[in-house]
Amino acid sequence: MSNSWIEKILPSVGRSTSKKSNIPEGLWRKCAKCGAFLYRPELEVNLDVCPKCDHHMRLNARRRLDWFLDAEGRTEIAAELEPVDRLKFKDSKKYKDRLAGAQKGTGEKDALIVMKGTVNEYPVVASAFEFEFLGGSMGSIVGEKFVRGVNAAIAARTPYVCFSASGGARMQEALFSLMQMAKTSAALEKLKEQRLPFISVLTDPVYGGVSASLAMLGDINIAEPNALIGFAGPRVIEQTVRQKLPEGFQRSEFLLEHGAIDMIVHRSELKNTLHRLMAKLLPAQNAA
Amino acid sequence: MNPNYLDFEQPIAELESKINELRSVVKDSATVNLNDEIKLLKDKSKALTQDIFSNLSSWQISQLARHPKRPYTLDYVERIFTEFDELHGDRTFGDDKAIIGGTARLDGKPVVIIGHQKGRDVKEKVRRNFGMPQPEGYRKAMRLMQLAERFKMPILTFIDTPGAYPGIQAEERGQSEAIARNLAVMASLRTPFIATVIGEGGSGGALAIGVCDHLQMLQYSTYSVISPEGCASILWKSAEYASDAAEAMGLTAPRLKELGLVDQVIPEPLGGAHRDHDLMAERLKAALIENLDRLTSLSEDSLMDKRYNRLMSYGAIG
């Protein structure tokens, strides 16, 4: 690092991307976009949006839901579900060990958290992808939890909200993970039959099997500013078409321009925007 | 090297070329009789083929699934169905040649056929985009599926793609949305649906025409979440480990049947489907008729319940 002088005065700066959110990190964090050093308590109040350049940093799933849902009356859904390694998959590392590492690093059992609760007292079921857990990849547990969330929304007659952040299907679960695309999409059809809204919020990044299933199936698709969203990753596309990708390719603004999403909403406005939309689609008296 | 044979098939290729040589000698001369020799070599070739094919690795099977001589969707269509009328276009943007579809009759009964289509020669390969669909291909497929539902025709799909096309325009036109929409639509189509993996089942690009009531695979076809090369380059950091990746992912038909993800494996002719297109088509036709009879005997509600329960059962859960 070229910032060695600043490291001496701010010893914790370089470690800001640590996965261990429950371990006290330094008081300062560097914005990956504008490079500003940000005072962490202030950044957290700002929901991890850089106050200097408005860069939306990744927000972990539990903090996301903690911020989104009212403090009172939340329950977590299917928290007990744990992944299994049916294929005994091993690449350069065993899948079992990768899982154990991800669990230790994030404190989560798998890459999706689902909760029932309220937003400004409006009842809702919401789920969020934990990107720090194996890239937010979708395997059997993510699929199952997503579906249980949908079923809880149907049972309580509430909308369902999903904040996605995922590299796609989880390769170590091979075809099991591919089938989660079909499973989650089928469950959303049940929600639709019940005339209950699904709001998909795409946060940086959403690719592959998650993008090509649940994340694009919102009655309303919303993205955070400047998030990367696509089917194939930019490198794969570049290698295939042997062209330079256009400026801003696969950013939220690109998707809005091409008609793939309804709106781009700043994180600070997200909660109220979602509440406003849901209350129109499903007035509370029609809900539970 | 004979380009029409894979590397592990080369010993068979050598025997076959010897047999052909002998045959041409016989043809050119009225006096020489080599029938016994030819028969001997043919038996030997058969035994050798049996031997090689009784012990194929997942990687070898992945190569067979992409064999240049392997029958493609249209090869089956002409052998299995009558009155095929190809229907074109997504009504919005264009007609994707990597997916074909239309109406036809199977054993006299109207059906809708949809399948990935690869090209045989260079020009045709390019025209078919190597079987990699763009969003309009999936949207054409969706249109035909909805047509099938409206007119109470069963849907038969044939899966054979390396994957959905990863291109700039494909992204601009919503490749993700096109695939996602199909998954949702297929889950609730009120008509019987059989999907057959005939070659490569490449990830979301394959699944986008594959949510069904009965999933069958030809013996040497593959179905996986990512290509072995893609998986290797991400998890092993080098595509050279494709063979390990193929093994680890368990992408072969018998393995997926064992895992409960596939309903039926259709045996291929000795040496693979490419050795005998007619025989393969005959077996596939028999399986289609049998399974369709079973599915059409179910009430619409019970068909839908079964499909939904089957979708919900997918997953390895502790």
Side-chain angles (χ1 to χ4, degrees):
Chain A
M1 260 203 187
S2 55
N3 294 317
S4 57
W5 63 274
I6 212 162
E7 276 171 29
K8 279 177 196 151
I9 21 175
L10 307 168
S12 55
V13 158
R15 279 180 273 137
S16 60
T17 53
S18 161
K19 292 173 193 160
K20 291 157 189 142
S21 53
N22 47 353
I23 292 174
E25 303 170 65
L27 270 178
W28 296 85
R29 182 166 167 184
K30 188 181 171 183
C31 172
K33 197 169 177 207
C34 73
F37 287 99
L38 306 168
Y39 185 54
R40 193 175 281 274
E42 194 191 344
L43 183 63
E44 280 174 11
V45 171
N46 213 28
L47 299 166
D48 289 7
V49 176
C50 174
K52 304 274 191 270
C53 73
D54 234 16
H55 173 55
H56 284 52
M57 300 176 187
R58 284 174 193 154
L59 195 57
N60 77 43
R62 209 161 277 278
R63 266 188 75 207
R64 168 79 69 178
L65 293 178
D66 195 45
W67 150 77
F68 182 63
L69 297 171
D70 301 336
E72 297 292 308
R74 296 176 195 170
T75 45
E76 188 168 348
I77 293 167
E80 72 286 357
L81 291 181
E82 287 216 47
V84 291
D85 175 21
R86 181 82 69 84
L87 298 172
K88 307 262 174 285
F89 195 99
K90 183 175 175 285
D91 47 84
S92 54
K93 223 169 152 182
K94 283 184 184 160
Y95 177 40
K96 222 176 72 186
D97 296 341
R98 285 190 194 269
L99 280 175
Q103 287 174 336
K104 206 166 157 231
T106 60
E108 304 297 345
K109 288 189 173 131
D110 210 314
L112 190 77
I113 300 171
V114 190
M115 284 186 189
K116 191 178 162 199
T118 55
V119 175
N120 303 336
E121 295 180 10
Y122 178 97
V124 66
V125 176
S127 55
F129 278 78
E130 177 52 68
F131 190 76
E132 296 293 337
F133 195 107
L134 301 179
S137 56
M138 178 160 71
S140 299
I141 296 301
V142 170
E144 178 68 17
K145 281 185 150 186
F146 184 89
V147 168
R148 294 211 193 169
V150 171
N151 291 341
I154 291 174
R157 291 206 56 79
T158 71
Y160 188 54
V161 175
C162 178
F163 297 93
S164 50
S166 172
R170 189 172 298 167
M171 281 175 286
Q172 293 91 342
E173 291 189 26
L175 207 67
F176 284 112
S177 64
L178 187 74
M179 293 306 179
Q180 303 313 308
M181 294 171 67
K183 179 171 173 172
T184 53
S185 303
L188 287 173
E189 281 290 287
K190 291 282 176 196
L191 192 77
K192 196 172 166 186
E193 278 170 26
Q194 297 291 319
R195 298 177 177 236
L196 297 169
F198 172 51
I199 317 265
S200 174
V201 183
L202 299 104
T203 75
D204 185 63
V206 186
Y207 275 97
V210 171
S211 167
S213 64
L214 59 98
M216 279 296 162
L217 290 174
D219 291 296
I220 296 176
N221 293 335
I222 296 175
E224 287 194 335
N226 208 41
L228 276 169
I229 301 159
F231 174 67
R235 241 184 314 154
V236 174
I237 295 174
E238 226 160 25
Q239 283 163 9
T240 309
V241 302
R242 301 206 170 87
Q243 281 179 51
K244 210 171 157 340
L245 302 176
E247 181 73 20
F249 184 63
Q250 295 186 327
R251 295 281 174 190
S252 305
E253 295 70 15
F254 172 94
L255 270 84
L256 186 68
E257 189 59 34
H258 286 94
I261 57 172
D262 291 279
M263 57 210 290
I264 297 173
V265 178
H266 193 281
R267 195 172 287 164
S268 63
E269 299 292 324
L270 207 44
K271 182 169 174 168
N272 287 334
T273 305
L274 257 68
H275 177 209
R276 196 170 66 233
L277 287 166
M278 290 189 293
K280 279 183 281 186
L281 296 177
L282 186 72
Q285 66 266 27
N286 295 343
Chain B
M1 279 283 279
N2 182 331
N4 289 326
Y5 287 80
L6 300 169
D7 55 359
F8 62 89
E9 293 178 299
Q10 291 301 325
I12 306 169
E14 280 164 29
L15 273 179
E16 292 292 324
S17 82
K18 265 186 209 155
I19 293 170
N20 286 337
E21 261 173 53
L22 289 183
R23 276 191 181 138
S24 66
V25 171
V26 176
K27 227 173 98 189
D28 295 343
S29 137
T31 51
V32 190
N33 187 339
L34 292 170
N35 282 349
D36 289 349
E37 310 258 340
I38 290 174
K39 189 179 177 301
L40 201 74
L41 281 177
K42 280 179 86 174
D43 289 347
K44 208 175 153 192
S45 167
K46 192 178 167 193
L48 185 66
T49 310
Q50 264 161 349
D51 188 44
I52 291 174
F53 276 73
S54 65
N55 196 19
L56 294 173
S57 70
S58 296
W59 177 235
Q60 287 170 327
I61 291 171
S62 305
Q63 291 168 283
L64 278 175
R66 305 169 181 165
H67 198 288
K69 294 277 180 188
R70 198 167 171 84
Y72 299 145
T73 296
L74 284 171
D75 298 311
Y76 291 115
V77 169
E78 68 179 52
R79 286 170 176 80
I80 295 175
F81 303 94
T82 55
E83 288 184 33
F84 175 57
D85 287 304
E86 186 174 353
L87 304 174
H88 295 272
D90 70 344
R91 295 292 188 273
T92 305
F93 180 82
D95 182 46
D96 190 342
K97 314 291 188 293
I99 288 191
I100 60 122
T103 55
R105 287 181 189 273
L106 173 66
D107 204 19
K109 293 175 195 125
V111 294
V112 164
I113 300 169
I114 298 163
H116 299 105
Q117 183 63 40
K118 294 178 175 173
R120 199 66 72 186
D121 58 40
V122 176
K123 208 177 139 201
E124 190 64 8
K125 279 185 208 293
V126 171
R127 193 169 87 91
R128 300 290 185 185
N129 200 27
F130 303 88
M132 293 185 285
Q134 308 261 3
E136 49 275 19
Y138 294 116
R139 290 177 182 136
K140 168 169 71 177
M142 180 174 77
R143 185 174 75 80
L144 297 179
M145 288 172 196
Q146 288 172 331
L147 178 138
E149 181 186 44
R150 210 154 53 246
F151 299 104
K152 301 214 170 287
M153 295 152 93
I155 299 164
L156 308 173
T157 63
F158 300 91
I159 293 170
D160 189 15
T161 180
Y165 185 63
I168 295 172
Q169 285 78 28
E171 296 288 325
E172 287 175 342
R173 296 198 291 272
Q175 188 72 288
S176 286
E177 194 274 347
I179 295 171
R181 189 64 54 202
N182 280 15
L183 300 180
V185 165
M186 286 183 285
S188 48
L189 278 175
R190 299 184 72 84
T191 192
F193 195 133
I194 300 176
T196 309
V197 187
I198 57 171
E200 284 182 277
S203 193
L207 184 65
I209 60 165
V211 177
C212 59
D213 302 303
H214 182 81
L215 176 59
Q216 50 189 21
M217 287 179 75
L218 304 192
Q219 186 180 4
Y220 301 126
S221 66
T222 57
Y223 200 179
S224 64
V225 70
I226 186 171
S227 70
E229 292 90 338
C231 180
S233 64
I234 297 171
L235 292 180
W236 279 263
K237 314 280 176 218
S238 159
E240 281 169 29
Y241 290 87
S243 154
D244 300 78
E247 206 62 56
M249 286 196 291
L251 42 62
T252 65
R255 176 70 175 135
L256 293 170
K257 171 89 169 44
E258 198 177 276
L259 292 168
L261 292 163
V262 165
D263 302 301
Q264 185 180 350
V265 179
I266 303 173
E268 297 196 13
L270 180 63
H274 57 287
R275 295 299 189 82
D276 194 339
H277 290 201
D278 291 339
L279 180 57
M280 188 69 252
E282 204 177 288
R283 289 182 186 172
L284 177 53
K285 183 178 181 178
L288 288 171
I289 290 174
E290 188 191 324
N291 290 307
L292 202 53
D293 277 350
R294 182 172 51 80
L295 293 173
T296 43
S297 74
L298 298 172
S299 75
E300 224 173 79
D301 285 341
S302 110
L303 184 76
M304 298 314 293
D305 286 349
K306 274 181 196 254
R307 190 185 306 158
Y308 192 73
N309 292 339
R310 161 200 179 78
L311 283 165
M312 292 307 119
S313 76
Y314 284 139
I317 290 161

